[in-house]
């Protein structure tokens, strides 16, 4: 779990790639969307449900385990899944993986938000690699939840099916690759320019990456 | 030997109901939504009082089993569940100190689960602190208002876990 008091604002929510300014634009319309909260802690589930109702949601289902969630998802199409990383018994990451892997499922591309008490980098990476759209740090605030929902709603990402991974494009933060240079066939071939100035010190590079990880500009 | 060809990833656009509705008119603005949600959360405060008391009682019960010499398997998982729940909910309901103390206690439990020595004196001290900060007088107080308490709890955690907290 993270240190809770040192960074109250950052703690409120963790996307591996967030741009807070963008997340506050636009408005959410959750009315008539089928939302599932998969959380074993009944009070936490009620809290999230209350926040969603405040946002205008009116159809909310609650489940308490991976098995119950999979059972619910077999029977109906849902629009948003908010699950706990430690959902009994296999956990929220495994639940996300199962949903993404199921080629028959009508919910294979559903936006998945994972709530986690522990938002160490290894946990966030695990959520991303499972196919989650966003990680929300607990304890959460209404504004953090709204911002994460807005981010996913207003900034849709492409999906990737690579055989070993099915889910939202995991590269959505690194917008700094010039003209889409990268490893994929659709990316621009890499061309290295002449030096335009002195190289950054490692400490400067580290601070840039740290700021990016923390969602700061 | 030639390398096997790397399979190409299929990259495609998806359009979900959430995305479609986000573009439609009639949504709730951030300010309105957050205000309404905060009011909904406030309505849960009476239930939270009861829940907080129950969770701490269940945590105390688990630690009592440890004090009576029960093996870790009999109490640690239960204690960790209740401790994590206190961490997760406390901050949302305005009890930042509950989240802080539960966080430090959870890390101690994680250490025990990972094979570290079970220091019951430390665990009991954290549980006492949790009981203290869950009282009405402390609920609205943030960690920055109780620097001595926080520093003491952190120092203890660092001593037990051997890493900076």
């Amino acid at each position: 779990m993270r240190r809770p008091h040192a960074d109250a604002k950052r703690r409120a929510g963790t996307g591996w790639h967030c741009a807070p300014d963008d997340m506050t634009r636009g408005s959410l319309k959750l009315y008539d969307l089928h939302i599932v909260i998969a959380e074993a802690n009944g009070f936490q589930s009620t809290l999230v449900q209350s926040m969603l109702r405040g946002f205008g949601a009116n159809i909310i289902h609650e489940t308490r385990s991976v098995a119950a969630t999979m059972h619910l998802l077999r029977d109906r199409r849902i629009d948003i899944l908010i699950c706990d990383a430690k959902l009994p018994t296999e956990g929220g990451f495994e639940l996300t993986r199962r949903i993404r892997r199921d080629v028959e499922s009508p919910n294979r591309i559903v936006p998945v938000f994972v709530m986690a008490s522990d938002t160490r980098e290894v946990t966030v990476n695990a959520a991303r690699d499972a196919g989650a759209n966003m990680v929300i740090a607990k304890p959460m605030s209404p504004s953090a939840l709204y911002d994460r929902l807005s981010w996913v709603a207003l900034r849709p990402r492409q999906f990737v099916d690579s055989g070993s991974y099915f889910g939202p494009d995991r590269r959505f933060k690194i917008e700094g690759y010039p003209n889409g240079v990268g490893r994929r066939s659709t990316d621009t071939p890499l061309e290295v320019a002449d030096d335009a100035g002195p190289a950054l010190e490692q400490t400067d590079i580290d601070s840039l990456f740290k700021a990016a990880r923390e969602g700061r500009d | 030997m030639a390398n096997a060809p790397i399979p190409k990833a299929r990259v495609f656009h998806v359009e979900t109901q959430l995305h479609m509705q986000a573009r439609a008119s009639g949504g709730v603005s951030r300010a309105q939504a957050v205000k309404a949600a905060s009011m909904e959360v406030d309505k849960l405060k009476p239930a939270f009082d009861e829940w907080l008391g129950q969770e701490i009682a269940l945590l105390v019960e688990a630690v009592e089993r440890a004090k009576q010499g029960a093996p870790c398997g009999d109490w640690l998982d239960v204690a960790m569940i209740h401790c994590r729940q206190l961490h997760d909910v406390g901050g949302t309901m305005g009890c930042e100190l509950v989240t802080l103390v539960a966080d430090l206690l959870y890390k101690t439990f994680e250490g025990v689960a990972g094979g570290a020595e079970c220091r019951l004196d430390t665990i009991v001290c954290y549980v006492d602190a949790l009981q203290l900060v869950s009282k009405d007088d402390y609920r609205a107080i943030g960690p920055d208002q109780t620097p001595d308490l926080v520093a003491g709890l952190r120092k203890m955690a660092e001593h037990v876990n051997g890493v900076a907290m």
Side-chain angles (χ1 to χ4, degrees):
Chain A
M1 289 190 283
R2 295 177 62 181
R3 180 179 299 185
H5 78 294
D7 51 358
K9 285 186 180 170
R10 274 194 292 118
R11 185 195 66 218
T14 298
W16 39 94
H17 304 145
C18 342
D21 290 345
D22 287 338
M23 288 191 285
T24 58
R25 292 185 197 130
S27 62
L28 265 183
K29 192 175 179 187
L30 301 181
Y31 191 77
D32 273 355
L33 292 186
H34 286 257
I35 304 174
V36 174
I37 304 167
E39 163 68 67
N41 176 358
F43 196 83
Q44 175 73 44
S45 187
T46 305
L47 263 179
V48 177
Q49 187 174 158
S50 296
M51 292 182 199
L52 292 171
R53 292 204 184 278
F55 299 162
N58 59 324
I59 307 172
I60 301 171
H61 311 269
E62 290 183 73
T63 56
R64 298 279 184 260
S65 67
V66 170
T69 311
M70 289 304 290
H71 184 74
L72 181 77
L73 265 56
R74 253 199 309 271
D75 295 341
R76 71 179 75 226
R77 182 188 289 273
I78 64 161
D79 301 305
I80 298 172
L81 171 65
I82 302 174
C83 68
D84 179 32
K86 300 245 184 198
L87 186 69
T89 52
E90 298 91 338
F93 303 155
E94 178 58 24
L95 171 64
T96 307
R97 254 190 299 273
R98 285 187 193 177
I99 292 167
R100 298 296 189 220
R101 277 182 192 157
D102 185 356
V103 291
E104 303 293 325
S105 171
N107 296 303
R108 203 178 184 201
I109 59 167
V110 69
V112 176
F113 298 80
V114 175
M115 303 180 284
S117 316
D118 159 21
T119 50
R120 283 174 285 206
E121 194 170 350
V122 63
T123 307
V124 175
N125 287 343
R128 182 197 62 189
D129 292 343
N133 291 70
M134 190 67 76
V135 174
I136 308 173
K138 292 195 285 190
M140 69 173 71
S141 64
S143 54
L145 180 59
Y146 185 92
D147 288 344
R148 305 306 133 180
L149 288 166
S150 295
W151 170 272
V152 171
L154 300 168
R155 300 287 297 269
R157 273 184 286 158
Q158 289 187 307
F159 258 59
V160 175
D161 182 1
S162 68
S164 59
Y165 172 78
F166 185 94
D169 191 336
R170 292 173 287 185
R171 301 187 310 175
F172 76 104
K173 181 166 192 182
I174 306 172
E175 295 164 339
Y177 287 141
N179 302 318
V181 167
R183 293 179 302 163
R184 292 189 186 144
S185 58
T186 51
D187 289 336
T188 306
L190 179 65
E191 288 176 12
V192 181
D194 293 335
D195 284 351
L200 290 173
E201 294 292 332
Q202 186 60 53
T203 49
D204 297 323
I205 297 168
D206 290 346
S207 2
L208 281 175
F209 274 84
K210 186 166 186 287
R213 274 201 304 275
E214 293 169 355
R216 289 187 276 117
D217 290 332
Chain B
M1 195 169 73
N3 289 335
I6 299 167
K8 279 185 184 171
R10 190 167 66 94
V11 183
F12 55 100
H13 178 72
V14 297
E15 180 87 334
T16 67
Q17 199 62 31
L18 175 66
H19 298 132
M20 284 188 274
Q21 287 205 186
R23 289 199 304 272
S25 60
V28 183
S29 74
R30 185 180 190 276
Q32 280 178 315
V34 170
K35 187 178 174 190
S38 301
M39 286 166 66
E40 291 291 326
V41 169
D42 281 346
K43 287 182 195 166
L44 294 174
K45 289 216 163 141
F48 170 69
D49 291 345
E50 192 181 337
W51 178 87
L52 182 62
Q54 285 169 357
E55 284 299 306
I56 290 180
L58 290 166
L59 178 61
V60 168
E61 197 180 300
V63 172
E64 279 300 320
R65 284 204 292 278
K67 283 160 78 176
Q68 287 160 14
C72 282
D74 286 358
W75 64 273
L76 188 57
D77 284 350
V78 174
M80 287 178 85
I81 287 170
H82 294 296
C83 187
R84 189 167 61 85
Q85 293 187 164
L86 286 163
H87 165 275
D88 293 350
V89 171
T92 306
M93 299 307 293
C95 300
E96 284 190 60
L97 280 171
V98 169
T99 289
L100 173 81
V101 180
D103 184 54
L104 294 171
L105 177 56
Y106 191 87
K107 284 182 176 129
T108 304
F109 286 148
E110 273 186 327
V112 175
E117 181 192 358
C118 180
R119 297 278 303 267
L120 271 175
D121 51 346
T122 306
I123 291 169
V124 169
C125 184
Y126 280 129
V127 172
D128 288 347
L130 259 178
Q131 288 176 306
L132 176 71
V133 299
S134 66
K135 291 191 189 308
D136 286 346
D137 293 348
Y138 280 84
R139 291 218 191 152
I141 295 177
D144 51 334
Q145 293 167 276
T146 53
D148 293 342
L149 172 69
V150 172
L153 291 169
R154 282 199 189 292
K155 203 166 181 178
M156 194 164 63
E158 284 168 17
H159 179 69
V160 171
N161 299 321
V163 290
M165 292 285 152

